[in-house]
Amino acid sequence: MEAVLQTRGLLSLPTNPKNRVLLQPNSLKHRFLSLKPKALNGSSLNSNGFSKINSFSSKVNGFGQNGKNLFICKAEAAAAASSDGQPVFGEIEVEKKPKILGIEIDTMKKILPLGLMFFCILFNYTILRDTKDVLVVTAKGSSAEIIPFLKTWVNLPMAIGFMLLYTKLSNVLSKQALFYTVILPFIAFFGAFGFVLYPLSNYIHPEAFADKLLNVLGPRFLGPLAIIRIWSFCLFYVMAELWGSVVVSVLFWGFANQITTVDEAKRFYPLFGLGANVALIFSGRTVKYFSNMRKNLGPGVDGWAISLKGMMSIVVIMGFAICFLYWWTNNFVPLPERSIKKKKKPKMGTMESLKFLVSSRYIRDLATLVVAYGISINLVEVTWKSKLKAQFPSPNEYSSFMGDFSTATGIATFIMMLLSQYIFDKYGWGVAAKITPTVLLLTGVGFFSLLLFGGPIAPGLAAIGMTPLLAAVYVGAMQNIFSKSAKYSLFDPCKEMAYIPLDEDTKVKGKAAIDVVCNPLGKSGGALIQQFMILTFGSLANSTPYLGGVLLVIVLAWLGAAKSLDTQFTALRKEEELEKEMERAAAVKIPVVSENDGGNGSFSSDSSVSPSEASSRNN
């Protein structure tokens, strides 16, 4: 009796395990890979010990003797074929591309220009951010109390107007034309401000008119009237704010997402964050250098005007560098095919965004995080800047301090970004999401406590050579540095990560709703609270205890939303992992084994073959 492998049902075991079919790996590989295989010899051992030679045909899936077929499992063939390091089942070897420092040249051509673009954009943003505060806070007839009114009644309407204009332009212009149309007016304005608007500010600002209104309305309206008094400075403030939201968020990240793949983004986007903080350090030193230029100038020379011209010149040069890098990348770097097929992001109006926010608990918690951060940081930042002006009334001194502040923020964020990966790996998303509100709460309590109880501790501060005002300035600076570094390194990654496990519809609509509603609400929410406090109690100093209480409530709500979102995020991640496992299992196709009339199991990888054709092949 011959002992050969019989297949009944699904991969049944042979009747006699000792008698096996002996095949060379090369013959198996040739059998499964060749489109037109030549006739090969295979051998089977019969019961009397003599081997029989049987021929293979290009149409035969197995070999046998005396009308009985033997069929090989694909898994065994794969194992045999892979043992000699060759591709399995028609797998094509991928051509190796040249690399530099382990990175493919095509990828390097994308990443280097993008990294330089991000550096230039953030370099400009730091200079503009520090300068805008100096202009509106230290101007004659103004103070830090102008900032809440400026953000609500000037910045927010202009941001909404810009987005409406951007939407219309995006429908009629190409992507490249839209990029240049948006960024070139920014460059032109900042150059014109440094060399035209600021030197003419004494002539174009209606100071006499503002003084008359102030005498009629009273000192409580100093903030709103300052917007009229220094309107060109306020316009600079708004354009600097828009540079951060438009050029960074809309132009750069939109372009980066267009030309990079998901794998490249996972690998290189964190490096962009580190590069951004290097830009903070260098731009902070630049602001410090130009702010100290007045020390070398003669008497009667406006040192701040000279400093402003130097800084705006750098902003213009960096702006043209951004345009050149964008042009080079579009002309010399091929775009991924997915960017052409990618669906356009649906645009949601304010009412649609609000309805979507209300309908989803997950999105509501995520929106709470965004709004709470915007309100909390504004409550502390504006109060701190009012103390900063009192300590450094000169524009150059104020700007010099802000340069040191930006450098310290860049260093702290750089260190936090290096630690953030460890925090995510060791403690998970939930702990990382709670660090930012916890830091802001602890440092905020210390700052407001120093403002409220500075008198009793004044003798102790004098012993170390500090006044309560200077101590408040330094503690407030530490509060802002730690809060912003935690925001950049942990809060922003947590926020973006929270979108990943959502389904595509919820992900797109939820992000659109938060961009339309929550970002402006977070920025203007704190400003509205401060406006109410100023108009009710007369000044920020008088409303300090109440601002501290509001900060406590907001941060506690923030922590509660982070805890709720952590539970939902973890559940969605588990569900996503389960779905991936099911997809992997479904991707492994199990061959179908059927039994023919002759009693032999037939093995076919093509389900479209008819029984008669399969029978002819077997014979």
Side-chain angles (χ1 to χ4, degrees):
M1 178 184 294
E2 296 184 18
V4 294
L5 179 64
Q6 300 292 334
T7 55
R8 297 182 182 276
L10 181 62
L11 303 178
S12 56
L13 295 173
T15 56
N16 187 356
K18 295 181 180 181
N19 295 331
R20 301 298 301 273
V21 177
L22 302 179
L23 278 175
Q24 297 297 325
N26 288 334
S27 64
L28 276 173
K29 178 181 68 177
H30 188 88
R31 171 186 167 196
F32 281 96
L33 293 180
S34 299
L35 297 177
K36 294 181 180 180
K38 297 179 181 179
L40 299 176
N41 290 333
S43 62
S44 62
L45 298 178
N46 57 16
S47 57
N48 58 13
F50 294 97
S51 62
K52 286 192 170 186
I53 307 300
N54 300 284
S55 63
F56 284 82
S57 174
S58 61
K59 293 185 178 180
V60 177
N61 294 326
F63 63 91
Q65 94 189 65
N66 294 336
K68 294 185 178 182
N69 299 325
L70 177 64
F71 300 94
I72 310 298
C73 177
K74 285 187 178 182
E76 294 180 3
S82 62
S83 64
D84 57 355
Q86 300 296 326
V88 182
F89 294 117
E91 181 182 349
I92 301 174
E93 291 186 4
V94 179
E95 182 182 357
K96 293 184 178 180
K97 298 181 180 180
K99 296 182 177 181
I100 299 177
L101 300 176
I103 303 174
E104 295 180 359
I105 292 181
D106 290 343
T107 303
M108 186 77 77
K109 290 169 66 177
K110 297 179 189 177
I111 300 306
L112 282 180
L114 282 177
L116 290 174
M117 279 181 65
F118 200 49
F119 179 89
C120 294
I121 291 172
L122 267 295
F123 190 95
N124 275 1
Y125 178 60
T126 305
I127 292 178
L128 297 173
R129 183 187 62 190
D130 294 346
T131 304
K132 70 180 175 64
D133 290 331
V134 176
L135 284 170
V136 300
V137 173
T138 64
K140 181 182 178 181
S142 179
S143 67
E145 293 178 358
I146 190 179
I147 295 178
F149 298 95
L150 192 56
K151 286 189 174 182
T152 304
W153 306 111
V154 181
N155 190 29
L156 185 59
M158 287 195 67
I160 295 174
F162 172 82
M163 292 310 298
L164 294 175
L165 178 62
Y166 181 84
T167 302
K168 291 186 178 296
L169 290 176
S170 64
N171 294 329
V172 297
L173 297 177
S174 64
K175 290 182 179 179
Q176 294 187 39
L178 181 63
F179 185 93
Y180 297 125
T181 303
V182 171
I183 197 172
L184 288 177
F186 280 97
I187 299 172
F189 172 79
F190 293 128
F193 183 85
F195 290 90
V196 179
L197 289 179
Y198 184 81
L200 297 176
S201 59
N202 292 331
Y203 303 98
I204 61 178
H205 288 170
E207 295 188 7
F209 177 70
D211 288 336
K212 291 180 180 179
L213 291 178
L214 185 61
N215 293 331
V216 174
L217 298 176
R220 293 189 178 187
F221 289 87
L222 176 67
L225 292 177
I227 296 176
I228 302 174
R229 182 192 300 273
I230 53 171
W231 65 268
S232 65
F233 297 174
C234 295
L235 183 60
F236 182 94
Y237 186 97
V238 173
M239 292 294 285
E241 284 277 327
L242 288 178
W243 178 276
S245 57
V246 172
V247 179
V248 176
S249 302
V250 178
L251 296 185
F252 174 78
W253 285 115
F255 180 58
N257 292 333
Q258 176 190 350
I259 69 171
T260 55
T261 63
V262 175
D263 291 335
E264 290 170 345
K266 289 179 179 178
R267 185 178 180 185
F268 295 106
Y269 277 12
L271 298 181
F272 290 164
L274 294 177
N277 291 286
V278 174
L280 277 176
I281 297 172
F282 280 95
S283 56
R285 293 296 87 196
T286 303
V287 171
K288 178 83 170 179
Y289 171 77
F290 282 104
S291 299
N292 292 332
M293 284 181 62
R294 67 180 182 86
K295 297 178 181 179
N296 300 323
L297 299 176
V301 179
D302 188 353
W304 177 236
I306 302 298
S307 302
L308 198 60
K309 287 180 180 179
M311 289 189 287
M312 292 306 103
S313 298
I314 292 180
V315 168
V316 171
I317 294 171
M318 287 290 190
F320 285 121
I322 294 167
C323 294
F324 171 76
L325 291 167
Y326 179 81
W327 171 84
W328 189 91
T329 307
N330 274 286
N331 284 274
F332 297 99
V333 176
L335 301 181
E337 292 182 1
R338 63 166 181 82
S339 63
I340 302 175
K341 302 176 182 178
K342 190 175 180 181
K343 292 183 178 180
K344 291 185 177 180
K345 180 178 176 179
K347 299 178 178 62
M348 300 177 67
T350 303
M351 293 308 299
E352 290 83 358
S353 301
L354 288 172
K355 290 179 181 177
F356 190 82
L357 287 173
V358 173
S359 63
S360 172
R361 179 190 170 196
Y362 192 96
I363 298 298
R364 282 200 310 271
D365 289 337
L366 189 55
T368 302
L369 265 62
V370 176
V371 174
Y373 174 80
I375 294 176
S376 302
I377 197 66
N378 274 285
L379 289 178
V380 181
E381 192 174 34
V382 175
T383 307
W384 170 62
K385 287 177 182 177
S386 67
K387 302 300 179 184
L388 188 59
K389 182 193 176 181
Q391 180 66 36
F392 302 107
S394 168
N396 286 95
E397 292 177 350
Y398 192 111
S399 179
S400 177
F401 182 87
M402 292 302 295
D404 290 334
F405 169 79
S406 296
T407 301
T409 303
I411 295 173
T413 308
F414 190 90
I415 296 173
M416 283 295 296
M417 281 193 166
L418 296 177
L419 295 175
S420 62
Q421 187 65 44
Y422 171 79
I423 294 173
F424 278 113
D425 293 340
K426 180 71 174 179
Y427 301 103
W429 187 93
V431 173
K434 294 173 185 175
I435 288 178
T436 304
T438 303
V439 168
L440 203 150
L441 177 62
L442 295 177
T443 55
V445 167
F447 175 68
F448 281 105
S449 299
L450 191 59
L451 294 181
L452 293 174
F453 308 107
I457 63 174
L461 293 173
I464 58 175
M466 295 181 67
T467 62
L469 178 60
L470 184 60
V473 167
Y474 285 141
V475 172
M478 292 177 61
Q479 193 276 338
N480 275 269
I481 290 170
F482 290 140
S483 299
K484 289 182 182 294
S485 62
K487 190 255 186 185
Y488 296 145
S489 60
L490 294 172
F491 179 80
D492 286 345
C494 283
K495 181 187 68 174
E496 297 302 326
M497 250 184 253
Y499 290 110
I500 294 177
L502 297 175
D503 61 86
E504 194 62 29
D505 186 59
T506 305
K507 184 186 301 182
V508 173
K509 290 182 178 179
K511 192 167 181 60
I514 290 176
D515 288 343
V516 171
V517 176
C518 298
N519 280 334
L521 184 61
K523 291 181 178 179
S524 60
L528 288 171
I529 294 173
Q530 288 165 336
Q531 291 174 52
F532 174 77
M533 296 289 183
I534 291 170
L535 296 176
T536 303
F537 301 102
S539 66
L540 279 175
N542 296 335
S543 60
T544 298
Y546 306 98
L547 290 175
V550 172
L551 176 66
L552 178 62
V553 173
I554 295 296
V555 174
L556 291 177
W558 184 355
L559 288 169
K563 182 179 180 181
S564 172
L565 193 61
D566 181 30
T567 304
Q568 300 173 75
F569 178 78
T570 304
L572 285 176
R573 285 297 305 274
K574 290 181 179 179
E575 182 180 346
E576 184 183 32
E577 291 298 326
L578 181 60
E579 290 176 355
K580 287 182 180 179
E581 291 296 331
M582 294 176 66
E583 289 175 0
R584 293 192 193 102
V588 180
K589 297 180 181 179
I590 302 177
V592 179
V593 181
S594 59
E595 185 174 347
N596 57 22
D597 295 335
N600 294 320
S602 62
F603 194 128
S604 176
S605 61
D606 187 359
S607 60
S608 63
V609 179
S610 62
S612 60
E613 186 177 356
S615 177
S616 64
R617 289 184 181 185
N618 294 336
N619 293 331

